[in-house]
Amino acid sequence: MATEYGQGYGWDDGPGFRGEGAEERRHLLPAALRAPIEARSWREFGYLMLSLPISIIMFTFAVTMVSLGAGLLVTFLGIPVLAAGLAGCRGLGAMERTRARALLGLDVAAPEPLRMTKQGPMAWMGAMLKSGASWRHLLYAVLHFPWAVFAFSVAISFWTYGWAMLTYPLWFWLFPVYGGQDGLQLYGDQGHSIYLDNPFEITVTALVGLLLTMATPWIVRALTQVDRLLVHGLLGPSKLATRVVELESDRGVVIDTAAADLRRIERDLHDGAQARLVALAMDLGLAKEKLTEDPQAAARMVGEAHGEVKTALQELRDLARGIHPAVLTDRGLDAALSSVASRCTVPVQVEVDLPTRPAPAIEGIAYFTVSELLQNISKHSGATRASVDVWRIENRLMIQVVDNGVGGADVAAGSGLAGLAERLDSVDGILVVDSPVAGPTRITAELPWRG
């Protein structure tokens, strides 16, 4: 069902649109030519070079401590040795996260801390042995060693041979001067030998070296991708711990939002309807006193009080609509969004295609999302028309609001869009803003479907 309405768009938390465009950094050389001399390539190469000695230390420590601890399990000493080994692996893992952050630009959060119900050495050893993060660090120390040997060998071979062949025209004279031969020996046996000593062979060698030099950074980058996966998967927090942190953060957002809504309702009641009702009571009291002395003045005051009653009732209706509109409860999203669009200052086309109604909580969030986005259009977009589409895809409720305004909306600008994104995130929702400068603006909200 599609309907057009004409009127209103605003955002209470400030403008969410910016007219500035970010300029992309331009390079004079293409990526293939500048890769061998980029700082990133040298940092990644340095990471692989350091990986071998560090992995030897980690592997030796991990195998030694686990073997010693396992062998001593027949006595009580095995438990503290194992716990100390796991603690050492966690310390080495912290060093690896720091190295990945410095050389690879990979920022991995620390794993979940030990959960100790009591204090003391026994409680610490028990928590260390029961911690999944500790065993993942041990697994990293063991698995990283063979990979580090392979990555070191490949990286150093390509890097050395590439630069050596590329610079061969500069140093091939070393062979006849100090080695007593015509140049670098490509092949040799008892019958004959092949040396790279004429201009053509030297040029071909340099060209092959150029190809290897240009390919080496990409090979090194591919090797470091495996290191990224190992660090991220084994040295960071587990998916369960990450999910717990997200839920705790979302709970905080929900509590803060609810508290802010309560403060807003209290302020609106105190400054609006409550003040009018107090004034109304005073006016009716004065009218009661004048009823016998001056009936006409009393009638006039009662008439004024009647007007105040109407105004107070309207403010209470607006406040109730802001809390949870009755039309949403009675008739669902289609009618509620049509009512919001009818109060918008620009023509809005609303189309709702839902087979059934979602859960009341999701329905309410969807309503307020569209309401705030339409308010934003009115205040900041300069649009002449807008559209609202709501539909369901599998287990997700999709909302899309489009306008033909000036564009430049940005969640990172610290506007009401950021607050709306946090509210959606608190229920596992997503807010995606596509708003180039000069428009149009397309904002898509995705909510979980709960029937």
Side-chain angles (χ1 to χ4, degrees):
M1 176 179 177
T3 315
E4 283 202 358
Y5 304 88
Q7 299 180 14
Y9 188 30
W11 200 263
D12 294 337
D13 296 333
F17 292 85
R18 294 190 308 180
E20 301 177 4
E23 296 183 0
E24 296 184 358
R25 183 180 177 183
R26 299 183 180 276
H27 296 276
L28 298 177
L29 295 176
L33 293 179
R34 70 174 185 269
I37 58 175
E38 277 187 328
R40 174 182 175 180
S41 300
W42 288 94
R43 287 196 303 268
E44 292 174 340
F45 178 70
Y47 182 89
L48 295 180
M49 295 300 99
L50 290 174
S51 290
L52 181 59
I54 291 176
S55 66
I56 292 175
I57 296 173
M58 291 193 301
F59 182 83
T60 304
F61 175 82
V63 171
T64 301
M65 295 299 289
V66 170
S67 301
L68 182 61
L72 292 174
L73 280 179
V74 294
T75 67
F76 176 76
L77 294 177
I79 295 178
V81 170
L82 276 178
L86 292 176
C89 290
R90 289 179 73 111
L92 293 171
M95 179 191 67
E96 283 293 272
R97 288 193 300 272
T98 302
R99 188 166 69 98
R101 186 180 303 112
L103 297 178
L104 300 182
L106 177 64
D107 193 3
V108 177
E112 58 274 17
L114 297 178
R115 296 185 177 274
M116 298 173 54
T117 56
K118 300 180 180 179
Q119 297 296 324
M122 295 300 298
W124 176 83
M125 287 187 288
M128 183 65 69
L129 292 173
K130 290 188 292 184
S131 171
S134 302
W135 292 101
R136 290 199 307 273
H137 281 67
L138 173 64
L139 183 62
Y140 176 87
V142 174
L143 293 181
H144 191 257
F145 174 66
W147 169 251
V149 173
F150 172 79
F152 178 90
S153 303
V154 173
I156 195 68
S157 298
F158 273 89
W159 203 278
T160 303
Y161 279 105
W163 282 102
M165 296 174 71
L166 176 62
T167 58
Y168 183 60
L170 301 177
W171 57 268
F172 84 99
W173 53 270
L174 289 172
F175 289 94
V177 173
Y178 296 100
Q181 60 187 38
D182 295 333
L184 184 66
Q185 186 177 8
L186 184 63
Y187 173 79
D189 57 22
Q190 295 180 353
H192 63 282
S193 300
I194 299 177
Y195 296 95
L196 303 175
D197 55 358
N198 61 63
F200 174 75
E201 293 173 347
I202 294 173
T203 303
V204 171
T205 301
L207 290 176
V208 173
L210 177 63
L211 294 177
L212 285 177
T213 302
M214 289 192 299
T216 299
W218 306 103
I219 296 173
V220 169
R221 195 159 299 174
L223 295 173
T224 56
Q225 288 300 321
V226 178
D227 285 276
R228 293 172 188 269
L229 293 175
L230 288 173
V231 173
H232 188 274
L234 296 178
L235 301 184
S238 64
K239 292 183 177 179
L240 178 59
T242 303
R243 183 57 178 162
V244 169
V245 173
E246 291 177 354
L247 291 176
E248 290 176 348
S249 175
D250 293 344
R251 181 181 63 182
V253 171
V254 171
I255 293 173
D256 292 342
T257 301
D261 289 341
L262 287 175
R263 288 193 298 269
R264 176 182 58 82
I265 294 170
E266 181 183 11
R267 184 179 64 250
D268 291 344
L269 283 173
H270 182 271
D271 298 340
Q274 180 179 341
R276 291 188 180 277
L277 291 175
V278 170
L280 175 62
M282 294 175 63
D283 291 342
L284 289 177
L286 293 175
K288 181 180 178 181
E289 294 177 357
K290 289 182 175 292
L291 185 61
T292 56
E293 300 176 2
D294 190 352
Q296 293 183 351
R300 185 176 66 254
M301 295 178 69
V302 170
E304 293 174 355
H306 183 257
E308 289 291 322
V309 169
K310 291 182 177 179
T311 303
L313 287 175
Q314 183 60 43
E315 289 181 353
L316 289 173
R317 289 194 196 99
D318 294 339
L319 182 60
R321 187 185 295 115
I323 299 173
H324 195 86
V327 65
L328 179 62
T329 303
D330 298 338
R331 300 173 57 190
L333 269 177
D334 196 351
L337 295 183
S338 299
S339 176
V340 172
S342 66
R343 299 190 299 272
C344 194
T345 57
V346 300
V348 181
Q349 182 178 359
V350 178
E351 185 168 351
V352 179
D353 183 13
L354 297 177
T356 57
R357 293 181 62 173
I362 300 300
E363 197 173 50
I365 293 175
Y367 170 83
F368 287 112
T369 298
V370 174
S371 177
E372 294 192 35
L373 289 176
L374 289 180
Q375 289 178 5
N376 205 27
I377 292 174
S378 296
K379 290 183 178 179
H380 310 296
S381 74
T384 59
R385 65 178 183 276
S387 64
V388 177
D389 294 294
V390 182
W391 71 99
R392 177 185 177 183
I393 297 180
E394 296 179 351
N395 62 340
R396 307 296 286 181
L397 175 63
M398 308 297 297
I399 303 169
Q400 191 171 84
V401 179
V402 182
D403 69 78
N404 65 341
V406 297
D410 188 1
V411 176
S415 65
L417 287 176
L420 184 59
E422 290 180 354
R423 178 172 291 192
L424 292 176
D425 184 63
S426 66
V427 292
D428 286 339
I430 300 172
L431 185 72
V432 179
V433 178
D434 178 17
S435 181
V437 177
T441 295
R442 184 184 304 272
I443 300 179
T444 305
E446 182 178 333
L447 291 166
W449 178 272
R450 296 170 189 163

